[in-house]
Amino acid sequence: MRDSTASPVPTGDRQPWDVEDIDRLLARPARVAVGRVGEPPAGRPLIGFTAGVPDGETFPVEEIGRAVDHVLATEPVQALEYLPGSLHGLVELRRLVVERLEPEAGLALSEANVTITSGAAQALENIGRTFLDPGDTFLVEAPSYRGGIGAFRGAGGVPVPIEMDGHGIRLDQLRTTIERLAVEGRPPKLLYTMPTFHNPTGITMPLERRRQLVEFAARRRLLLVEDDAYGDLRFRGDTLPSLYSIAGGLGVLRCGTVSKTIAPGLRVAWVKGQPALVDALVRMRFDNGTSAFLQRIVCAYVNQGAFEPHVRAMVELYRHKHQAMDAALGEHCSSYASWTEPDGGFYVWVTLPPGVDCVALQEQAWDEGVGYFLGTAFYTDGSGRDRLRLAFSNVPIEQIPEGCARLGRALARAVAGRA
Ligand SMILES: Cc1ncc(COP(=O)(O)O)c(C=O)c1O
């Protein structure tokens, strides 16, 4: 029998944990903050060009609802259990990826070339843990997507930045950096690149540079990680072949996602590669698989015929939003700043006038009622103070001119204060 008079289990020290207590426990990569992002003052309404997310008003709620009903009516048990068999993902969805979601001109691919992940974010983490040992170098565009940098750093990788020009990553600098790293005895294993509608710059790499990059990487057995989160959202110009297709499917892992086209809450994405690379990724997955339910919902949604028209509508929407932003920046900011002109995606990358710092400018911008993403957040070495990112995707189109006017007023104040 239990002794009800026994003293309670000792509780020890119930003092709250200090930040230092937690910091002491952190793994080394977790101590590296990739450009901290400040919080705007509470209660002040901002026009926020901050988040790189789709326009929530356009989520295809009815069609997703029909897909959910269809899945629960036709395959309820399969949808709610672990996906049996393999961590590669649902075979039907992997086939849809190569046939409809992301076909590659001139390549005959099958489900063996695809694994499904919970968002492209998981794909990048999976790639990092599969190919990088702690201390291994990886090459990254400067600037680059902070989630990608973080995923590879999380695996213990050490980023080495390569500058971009208006056509993407600079191949001259890539060459000299690789030579230097070879001399230093730390050759890089992979290059993380976004050749199409780059985050944060919006830049697209032209065909000739794509070919040169693929050839350069193939000769050195440098793995290319091609992040193509925005590739479907082209509102100008002709579609270009992916690095993956130029490489004939060899030595490239191409990541795609439905987050920017359908909805990020679905957490459905994929990696394409030669089967040996895909299998290596799957061996390093310990997550019991991507949600069978969500994968089946995406299949049902695409099979309804809803995907392609939805993407066409999104392209039109973002074309108009981008036009609104470009025109308003021209009207309100052209005396102070210059900016990129993307052919697709969500972002415009702004270069600030000399002496204006994106971190200091943020206070004035919040004061005027506009938000942006700090340029410094996209670099690994503290640079980017003269840059900022504007996302036009999720701001109602009628607010875009006013947001740019507010940015113009903040810039005017910063320039006046500089003198
Ligand atoms: C370039 C890039 N890659 C990957 C992701 C992650 O996407 P997902 O929602 O599929 O994890 C994002 C999201 O912002 C992104 O911008």
Side-chain angles (χ1 to χ4, degrees), residues 51-53 117-124 144-148 192-194 196-200 227-230 255-260 263-270 346-347 389:
V53 293
T117 56
S118 301
Q122 191 198 20
L124 297 170
S144 182
Y145 169 53
R146 42 195 266 119
Y192 173 57
T193 177
M194 285 163 279
T196 311
F197 318 141
H198 180 270
N199 180 3
D227 185 341
D228 202 4
Y230 302 89
C255 306
T257 177
V258 304
S259 284
K260 312 296 173 177
L266 290 167
R267 309 312 298 136
V268 169
W270 56 87
F346 287 177
Y347 308 113
R389 188 191 78 178

Side-chain angles (χ1 to χ4, degrees), residues 188-378:
K189 281 187 174 162
L190 62 85
L191 163 62
Y192 173 57
T193 177
M194 285 163 279
T196 311
F197 318 141
H198 180 270
N199 180 3
T201 66
I203 287 169
T204 293
M205 190 185 293
L207 182 57
E208 191 46 35
R209 189 164 307 178
R210 287 176 189 236
R211 289 200 179 114
Q212 290 168 354
L213 174 61
V214 165
E215 199 199 313
F216 177 86
R219 251 188 283 120
R220 285 163 182 79
R221 291 294 187 263
L222 176 69
L223 178 64
L224 291 177
V225 178
E226 177 180 23
D227 185 341
D228 202 4
Y230 302 89
D232 278 332
L233 299 173
R234 175 179 284 281
F235 44 71
R236 215 163 43 182
D238 295 329
T239 303
L240 292 170
S242 64
L243 301 182
Y244 182 84
S245 78
I246 293 172
L250 300 176
V252 182
L253 288 170
R254 182 178 180 195
C255 306
T257 177
V258 304
S259 284
K260 312 296 173 177
T261 47
I262 312 176
L266 290 167
R267 309 312 298 136
V268 169
W270 56 87
V271 188
K272 233 174 341 180
Q274 63 213 77
L277 290 178
V278 169
D279 293 348
L281 292 178
V282 173
R283 280 203 299 279
M284 286 299 287
R285 296 269 298 277
F286 306 101
D287 62 348
N288 292 347
T290 301
S291 159
F293 190 35
L294 293 169
Q295 292 183 72
R296 287 176 194 279
I297 290 169
V298 171
C299 278
Y301 172 80
V302 175
N303 286 332
Q304 274 172 37
F307 178 71
E308 289 86 353
H310 180 68
V311 172
R312 282 197 293 276
M314 292 305 96
V315 167
E316 284 314 302
L317 177 73
Y318 297 131
R319 178 201 316 283
H320 288 118
K321 288 193 174 195
H322 169 252
Q323 280 167 352
M325 176 168 276
D326 195 54
L329 288 174
E331 189 176 335
H332 301 288
C333 301
S334 58
S335 317
Y336 315 109
S338 58
W339 56 93
T340 54
E341 294 181 21
D343 290 336
F346 287 177
Y347 308 113
V348 167
W349 183 237
V350 177
T351 302
L352 299 173
V356 175
D357 176 320
C358 68
V359 180
L361 179 70
Q362 197 166 49
E363 288 297 327
Q364 278 140 335
W366 286 339
D367 195 42
E368 294 290 344
V370 63
Y372 58 76
F373 222 103
L374 298 177
T376 43
F378 302 97

Side-chain angles (χ1 to χ4, degrees), residues 37-51 361-373 391 394-396 399-400 402-404 406-407 409-410 413:
V37 183
E39 286 290 323
R44 178 170 302 165
L46 293 185
I47 295 177
F49 294 129
T50 322
L361 179 70
Q362 197 166 49
E363 288 297 327
Q364 278 140 335
W366 286 339
D367 195 42
E368 294 290 344
V370 63
Y372 58 76
F373 222 103
N394 192 32
V395 174
Q399 290 184 15
I400 288 177
E402 173 59 20
C404 294
R406 293 178 184 183
L407 181 63
R409 288 199 289 274
R413 282 168 56 186

Side-chain angles (χ1 to χ4, degrees), residues 90-131:
L90 187 69
V91 173
E92 294 92 306
L93 181 57
R94 289 155 62 206
R95 287 196 191 124
L96 273 184
V97 167
V98 292
E99 286 163 13
R100 280 184 60 187
L101 294 173
E102 201 181 70
E104 303 283 353
L107 290 185
L109 301 178
S110 76
E111 66 271 14
N113 296 101
V114 183
T115 178
I116 306 295
T117 56
S118 301
Q122 191 198 20
L124 297 170
E125 284 207 77
N126 192 187
I127 293 169
R129 280 186 295 101
T130 305
F131 294 100

